[in-house]
Each structure stands twice: as C-alpha cells, then as structure tokens.
Amino acid sequence: MGYRNIVVEGSGKLYCNNKQLIFEGTEHHKVPIEDINSVLIESKQSTITTACLSKLVEAKVTVFVCDDKHLPNGVMFSYSQHSRQLGVMKLQDRLTAPAKKRIWQQIIRAKIANQALCLQYCRLDDGANYLQMMEQKVITGDDTHLEAPAAAYYFRTIFGNGFSRNDDVDGRNQALNYGYAIFRGQFARLIATYGFFPSYGIYHRSELNAFNLADDLMEPFRPVVDLYVATNVQEDKYLNTKIKHDLYNLLNVNIEVCGQKYSVCYAAEKLVQSLSKCMEDYQVHKLLVPKLLQWQQHSYE
C-alpha cells in the first residue's frame, strides 16, 4: 500500500510512464506509482489521461476530484479487485441482525471514546469525562440512541454553544466537511478493494447513498479531523491552501490500534480487514477500532 498523498493545484498535465505518475506544468514532477496512496486533483485547469487513470486505479490509488469551491466531490477507485468478491458479498448478505448490532456498538463506542479524547487533548476535561460516561452506556446496536446526543454535546463543548453543523459559512464546518470527504473516499476505496459492496452498510441503509458502509466505518476516525480543526481553524477563517493540505495530510498522522501506532491510512485498512473476520464469526473476532492520539506525523522508517 502506498503512503504518499499527492495534491495537484496548478495547471498542467498528468500522465503515467514507466510506472511513474508525471506532472508537466510550470514545474515537472515524477512520483513512483507504487508509493502513492491517493491523488487529489484540485485544479480545474489540470488534465489527466484516461490511460493514467486506469494505471492509478489498477495500483489501488484513490483519485479525488473537486468542485468549484475546491471541495472533494468525487472519488475514483477500482471496484473489483478482490479475488473472492462474491464470497465477501455473501458474508455481508448473511450477516445477522444481532451481529450488526454488536459491530455497530463497537463503532459507536470507539467514536464517542475518541470524541472524549479529543476534548481531553483540547483541555476540556469535564466534557471528556462526561463523554467517557456516555461511551460506557452504549448498548448493542446503540438502541438507546446515544450517538446523536453525544455528538451534539461534543460539538457544543469543543466549538461553543452557538456552533451549528448546518452553518456552511462557518470556516470550521468547511474544514470539517473537507476532512470528512477525504476520509470517506479513503474508506470507499478500501471496502471495494476488500470485496465489500459499499452501499450495503451496517447501520447506514439509505438507498440514495452509494457508500453506506464507508459512512459506518469512518465514524471512529472523524475526531482526527475534529482535533485538527479545533486547534487550527477559527469560525471566520477561510479554507485556504495550507488548511486543505493539512487536512489531506491527516491520512498520514498517527493513530493507535491495539497498542500500536499506525498511520490513519493503515489503521483504516486494518479496520476493514477486521470487519471481514467479524462477518465470519462476530462472537470470536472484534473490530480493530482506532484510538485517537495527539497530532503527530507518522514515520515510515
């Protein structure tokens, strides 16, 4: 799996040659395709050949494109890379309601636990303690619906009582949406790579959503974005190039899984891998959910 996340800002041409991604514009760059995890094409003045897109997809590289506001609005990845895709899809289809509830409980507990850690890292200890108590009360399937009130309390605590996730003008929401879109695309690629049917979720079941399963699995990773935004973005701050680069780079920061530090990219892959085992026998296997760490760039040495 690659580790480099490439942002294309200026006008130019992207193509592949000799197993390298090449950018020709005012500057000339070459990157080995095997080193690349994802490519974010932000510039509307850039072009990419269909042959290059095909090579990137074959190499399991996620390709993002952006809208007029430079926000990620599309993702391209290979859909059928798993040798036993039909078998994996059958596992999804046979997953029982109790198994789904147990899996969803693990996801929501991990999400609320990481929200509590986020508040703790922001020195909001009272809020962190409250969320820790809520996390312990999450039952199978989150049938008492603690996720929503926990999230409402969390956002009020970290961003203030006047904060609303529906305020598109707020620079913090713009940053949150940008970061979440990157993480969602990363999970969409991973679940397709491992043979899952992406619209068939554990909890999210909208017929209008092609990535229900991605929305399920990314939940415990959202606080990675939240922590960056809480400590680096103000309400009236424009979503500038540096912030976007930092948010994109969150794929390469440290997070903990089973006592070990991994990049967010690899931790996401381990979560998807563990989902396969849970589907085979959820009573034996548990999801490998992440634990939020304070910001630190992952070292690949």
Side-chain angles (χ1 to χ4, degrees), residues 82 84 87-88 91-92 94-95 99 103 196 273-285:
H82 196 275
R84 294 182 57 251
V88 176
L91 283 176
Q92 277 185 274
R94 290 199 297 263
L95 196 63
I103 291 171
F196 293 103
Q273 290 171 345
S274 69
L275 179 62
S276 295
K277 295 182 178 180
C278 282
M279 287 184 172
E280 293 170 0
D281 190 345
Y282 77 91
Q283 292 181 327
V284 174
H285 299 288

Side-chain angles (χ1 to χ4, degrees), residues 20-292:
Q20 294 194 17
L21 175 65
I22 301 171
F23 176 79
E24 286 188 355
T26 55
E27 298 180 356
H28 189 87
H29 299 281
K30 293 183 180 180
V31 182
I33 294 176
E34 66 180 359
D35 291 348
I36 303 174
N37 173 65
S38 64
V39 177
L40 174 64
I41 305 175
E42 189 175 280
S43 170
K44 288 294 187 71
Q45 285 72 47
S46 292
T47 60
I48 184 169
T49 66
T50 53
C52 184
L53 280 174
S54 179
K55 289 291 185 184
L56 292 173
V57 168
E58 286 176 7
K60 301 181 182 180
V61 175
T62 311
V63 181
F64 295 95
V65 294
C66 296
D67 59 19
D68 292 335
K69 297 179 180 179
H70 303 283
L71 297 174
N73 69 343
V75 61
M76 184 174 183
F77 54 85
S78 176
Y79 181 68
S80 54
Q81 295 178 342
H82 196 275
S83 59
R84 294 182 57 251
Q85 186 171 40
L86 181 59
V88 176
M89 292 173 66
K90 286 181 178 179
L91 283 176
Q92 277 185 274
D93 189 53
R94 290 199 297 263
L95 196 63
T96 64
K100 288 182 179 180
K101 286 189 172 186
R102 288 283 298 274
I103 291 171
W104 187 240
Q105 179 190 31
Q106 293 177 67
I107 289 172
I108 295 307
R109 290 193 66 172
K111 178 184 180 180
I112 296 176
N114 283 339
Q115 288 174 333
L117 284 170
C118 184
L119 294 184
Q120 181 180 317
Y121 295 146
C122 293
R123 299 182 180 180
L124 298 167
D125 292 339
D126 289 343
N129 292 335
Y130 180 75
L131 285 183
Q132 287 169 357
M133 289 189 294
M134 291 191 73
E135 181 255 325
Q136 294 298 320
K137 296 178 181 178
V138 176
I139 62 175
T140 58
D142 188 27
D143 287 345
T144 53
H145 305 291
L146 288 180
E147 179 193 10
Y153 175 85
Y154 168 69
F155 281 116
R156 285 197 310 269
T157 304
I158 198 169
F159 294 127
N161 288 327
F163 178 79
S164 170
R165 281 289 288 130
N166 297 320
D167 185 357
D168 294 334
V169 179
D170 192 319
R172 296 167 297 183
N173 272 325
Q174 295 173 15
L176 290 172
N177 293 337
Y178 191 97
Y180 294 161
I182 295 296
F183 280 30
R184 189 175 192 246
Q186 183 72 10
F187 270 102
R189 190 263 284 183
L190 285 170
I191 60 180
T193 298
Y194 280 89
F196 293 103
F197 194 59
S199 63
Y200 198 44
I202 301 296
Y203 175 80
H204 292 90
R205 302 184 183 90
S206 172
E207 294 183 0
L208 303 176
N209 184 0
F211 301 111
N212 283 313
L213 187 56
D215 289 336
D216 287 334
L217 296 183
M218 70 175 281
E219 292 288 3
F221 288 83
R222 288 178 181 268
V224 177
V225 179
D226 304 339
L227 180 58
Y228 171 83
V229 174
T231 54
N232 292 278
V233 183
Q234 286 76 50
E235 179 180 358
D236 58 351
K237 192 165 187 177
Y238 177 69
L239 190 61
N240 58 37
T241 299
K242 181 185 184 305
I243 293 174
K244 287 187 284 187
H245 283 191
D246 287 349
L247 288 165
Y248 190 38
N249 188 53
L250 292 178
L251 291 172
N252 282 330
V253 301
N254 276 336
I255 200 164
E256 184 179 315
V257 180
C258 298
Q260 298 292 318
K261 291 182 181 179
Y262 300 103
S263 70
V264 165
C265 278
Y266 190 57
E269 185 166 6
K270 290 186 75 68
L271 176 58
V272 175
Q273 290 171 345
S274 69
L275 179 62
S276 295
K277 295 182 178 180
C278 282
M279 287 184 172
E280 293 170 0
D281 190 345
Y282 77 91
Q283 292 181 327
V284 174
H285 299 288
K286 292 185 178 181
L287 286 181
L288 298 181
V289 293
K291 179 181 177 182
L292 185 68

